[in-house]
Amino acid sequence: KLPYSLALDIGTSSVRAAIYDSSANVLPATLVRNARHSSSAPETASSISVEQVFSQVVQVIDDVLRKFSTING
């Protein structure tokens, strides 16, 4: 089997992930996005708890790997 990579994007509004093949092509069926709701503070600042971020990262990775296993066997 070809080598694959899991890419993870931890942004301010969401955590996203997908699997890429050895030619850097995304496998669209593996795309996952978990939106986040942060508490806004004055002057457009936002606050996100470490626990929330960690939980979202774990969930997104689990979801991507589950999707990948269904298409990759």
Side-chain angles (χ1 to χ4, degrees):
K1 295 184 181 187
L2 296 174
Y4 293 96
S5 298
L6 187 150
L8 185 62
D9 174 18
I10 304 171
T12 56
S13 63
S14 66
V15 176
R16 299 180 298 172
I19 301 289
Y20 288 77
D21 66 17
S22 61
S23 297
N25 298 306
V26 67
L27 304 181
T30 66
L31 289 168
V32 173
R33 180 177 183 267
N34 188 330
R36 147 176 335 132
H37 303 287
S38 60
S39 58
S40 294
E43 301 174 19
T44 69
S46 64
S47 174
I48 304 164
S49 76
V50 173
E51 293 82 8
Q52 180 185 13
V53 173
F54 181 77
S55 175
Q56 285 183 305
V57 168
V58 169
Q59 186 62 56
V60 164
I61 291 171
D62 286 347
D63 292 346
V64 166
L65 293 178
R66 189 174 308 109
K67 287 183 168 194
F68 182 66
S69 70
T70 64
I71 64 170
N72 196 46

